[in-house]
Amino acid sequence: MYDASAQQPSDRRYGLIRRREAEAEGYHLPIRKTPEKRTRIDDDLMLVLHGTTTPYASAGTATPPPSPVPVLHGRKIPKGGCTKEANDRIHAPFAYPEGSEIASLINSRANRESTQDARVRAVFARWSSCMKSSGFSYATPLDAMADHRFLGPAVSTLEKRTAVADVTCKESVQLPQVWLSVESEKQRPLIQQHGETLDKLYLMHQRKMKEVDDILATTAGR
């Protein structure tokens, strides 16, 4: 069963769908507590991450003379630091640009085509009628979410009322369920058409995750 109130990361693919978010923040993304930001990354951390304390030096500056291998607390820092090592061990060996491009294409194409489907257009119309009965005039849920009055930093009472009505109307006409069903239908033939490529992409992802697990297991054992 579709649960729009489930505690999951916000997903606005079909517009706002969680009543709790609508009541608290309108169309704004939920405010999440973030750890206190560092005002400056110290030289030791920069050295470990990049193998140098000046990784972002301008390319236009003169090439510095070769420096000795950096050492921190008695341990040599490999060239490029942890960032290069992570790329060499986790990203580069399992990168599959062709597969990623196909997956992205399927994602965007199916979504675009679904918005032109008669079934989705019909549920948009029912949602729009429901919103009108509450005093709000929008053709589609994405229009409501993009209302220029709601794009500033402050969350107004009007925004919250609109957002709550939006979610209520989506629930009443089952808009997310219909849209998801139609979009999934649009994806299936594309997935079948590119099955071999997507299988390879999935395999590379699994291999990458195994490499990450192996690295973490080795690190935990130290």
Side-chain angles (χ1 to χ4, degrees), residues 81-93:
C82 292
T83 300
K84 183 178 185 302
E85 184 177 3
N87 180 73
D88 291 346
R89 292 191 61 182
I90 299 173
H91 177 68

Side-chain angles (χ1 to χ4, degrees), residues 95-105 194 196-198 200-201:
Y96 183 33
E98 179 186 350
S100 299
E101 185 177 349
I102 290 296
S104 178
L105 174 67
H194 299 284
E196 186 175 337
T197 299
L198 295 175
K200 181 178 177 180
L201 179 64

Side-chain angles (χ1 to χ4, degrees), residues 10-17 21 26-30 142 145:
S10 294
D11 182 351
R12 303 296 173 87
R13 190 174 187 84
Y14 305 130
L16 183 62
I17 59 175
E21 292 181 10
Y27 290 102
H28 284 65
L29 291 173
L142 300 183
M145 194 166 63

